[in-house]
Amino acid sequence: IEPFLSSLRQVSKSGLHNPLKNPHRYVEYGEISRKAGAALSDPQVADFFAKAIMACVPKSYGQALGEVKVTAAFLNNFAGDNVRRLAQSFGVAGDHYGQMSVGHRWPYGPVALITPFNFPLEIPVLQLMGALFMGNKPVLKASEQVSIVMEQYLRLLHHCGMDPADVDFLNCRGPVAQEVIVQTPVRLTQFTGSSRVGEILAEATHGKVKLEDAGFDWKIIGPDVGDVDYVAWQCDQDAYASIGQKCSAQSIMFVHENWKASGLMDKVQANAAQRSMDDLTLGPTLTVTTKAFLDHCHRLTSIPGSQVLFGGKELANHKIPEKYGAVEPTAVYVPLEEMIKPEHFEACATEIFAPFQVVTYYNDETLDHVLNALERMSHHLTAAVVSNDPEFQTK
């Protein structure tokens, strides 16, 4: 790791550029962003990156290509002068003659990015480019399972005019990356991943870390029933797209009893049943084994009144290695009155990075129990309220 240590130690606190030093680099990165955005917008290049994503993480072609398109749109947004404008300063009148305050957007200098496996292009590119735009020198540690995607993207940036010395690409396991960070003057680490590793990094860096960690994400289906087919489709997408391996995946759904007669959950089940290994809308879970998944299902179904609504089984006729998971899209019903009990709540509010969700029903009289449950949950990332009733939306 010595070359990485040496490289980061040579970077000053003022970064590679700032409003007073090398400001031409803002314009250069606007042009690099324009070229990279145009490249990823090219159907042949987009197809290459989509297939590179699919080669190392289980995603359908549509999901993988969507990731490429979002990344291209981001790059296109910062073409031209938009990088320079991102560094806009501000001034405030002083409180005595001859004095005023001026603030500049300033780089940290040497920084580190640690990015996850589940979005091997979108997450690291957005974080990396933001760091580069503002004059930082990043060391990038992508998940070793999918690092080939970012290696190819960095080659694209070199082709688009980026100085190869602007980014250090570290292909390693987590403990090695931590050693690089603690042995160099890295002034900020951006980490996306599990809350366990995030806490380790927070301690190792003495708090000089920004975290996007676990997400236990809730959805409330309100009392006004409508657009049942669309709601069912969206619920399937939110819970089971990318095989549930995204921090924004729907983890728990509170459904008003008015929806029972609509057949909502039957429609969600029917949509989930269309998922297949053939198009990678089903596939391996990389961080949750089949045994761990089924053990969690068993733990929840041991709660009085609980049951598997659908799924809860290992995939049939698969060849996925045991160190990964191979499970059907699953929904487990847990009665609300049991869920909120202290002895059950932790299990019901545990994120499983797999195609899994908890479902429960409520009514107008038990809505307060739902709101209290939301207050008790931690690690929020996304949430949804499905209702056209403004009074319900604002409760």
Side-chain angles (χ1 to χ4, degrees), residues 57-329:
V57 65
K59 285 192 177 185
S60 67
Y61 185 79
Q63 287 279 319
L65 186 62
E67 187 174 338
V68 178
K69 289 181 177 179
V70 167
T71 306
F74 172 88
L75 293 167
N76 289 329
N77 283 339
F78 287 100
D81 283 329
N82 284 336
V83 172
R84 184 169 61 90
R85 289 170 179 157
L86 192 65
Q88 183 177 3
S89 302
F90 66 88
V92 178
D95 58 5
H96 61 271
Y97 181 75
Q99 186 263 343
M100 69 178 300
S101 297
V102 177
H104 296 294
R105 294 183 184 270
W106 211 254
Y108 286 93
V111 297
L113 303 172
I114 302 176
T115 60
F117 76 89
N118 55 333
F119 287 89
L121 182 70
E122 180 183 342
I123 289 177
V125 169
L126 270 59
Q127 295 178 354
L128 174 69
M129 299 309 291
L132 290 169
F133 290 162
M134 290 296 96
N136 297 286
K137 166 64 180 281
V139 55
L140 170 63
K141 190 274 177 195
S143 171
E144 62 274 13
Q145 298 163 307
V146 300
S147 58
I148 181 95
V149 178
M150 281 307 292
E151 188 244 351
Q152 292 298 306
Y153 177 75
L154 287 175
R155 292 182 184 275
L156 175 63
L157 287 186
H158 298 163
H159 175 73
C160 293
M162 186 188 79
D163 186 339
D166 281 3
V167 180
D168 292 340
F169 186 54
L170 181 61
N171 191 11
C172 66
R173 306 275 304 205
V176 177
Q178 181 174 317
E179 280 301 303
V180 171
I181 291 168
V182 299
Q183 291 187 38
T184 56
V186 166
R187 300 184 68 222
L188 185 71
T189 297
Q190 172 71 53
F191 171 76
T192 306
S194 72
S195 55
R196 180 186 65 83
V197 176
E199 290 173 4
I200 292 172
L201 275 175
E203 182 176 353
T205 62
H206 304 289
K208 293 184 292 185
V209 61
K210 289 185 179 293
L211 302 178
E212 183 189 326
D213 54 5
F216 189 81
D217 307 312
W218 51 262
K219 176 180 286 182
I220 299 176
I221 310 291
D224 45 321
V225 180
D227 295 326
V228 179
D229 288 339
Y230 174 75
V231 172
W233 175 84
Q234 190 65 64
C235 288
D236 168 72
Q237 287 291 309
D238 291 344
Y240 306 127
S242 297
I243 318 177
Q245 296 175 102
K246 51 182 181 178
C247 295
S248 59
Q250 178 177 304
S251 307
I252 189 168
M253 186 160 63
F254 298 90
V255 184
H256 196 281
E257 290 179 352
N258 289 353
W259 287 78
K260 283 185 175 181
S262 72
L264 173 65
M265 292 311 302
D266 290 336
K267 292 177 182 292
V268 174
Q269 180 178 358
N271 287 332
Q274 299 299 312
R275 298 184 173 275
S276 169
M277 292 275 287
D278 295 336
D279 60 5
L280 283 180
T281 52
L282 274 184
T285 54
L286 302 190
T287 59
V288 179
T289 65
T290 301
K291 183 180 185 305
F293 183 94
L294 296 179
D295 285 349
H296 185 68
C297 287
H298 177 72
R299 183 183 180 190
L300 292 183
T301 54
S302 66
I303 297 173
S306 300
Q307 61 175 323
V308 174
L309 295 178
F310 55 85
K313 301 175 184 177
E314 184 173 355
L315 290 174
N317 303 317
H318 72 83
K319 298 181 180 179
I320 297 171
E322 287 188 7
K323 69 175 184 176
Y324 303 123
V327 293
E328 296 180 358

Side-chain angles (χ1 to χ4, degrees), residues 342-363:
E343 62 267 31
H344 300 149
F345 189 78
E346 180 183 356
C348 294
T350 296
E351 181 191 21
I352 299 296
F353 216 54
F356 179 87
Q357 64 174 323
V358 174
V359 177
T360 192
Y361 288 99
Y362 73 97
N363 55 38

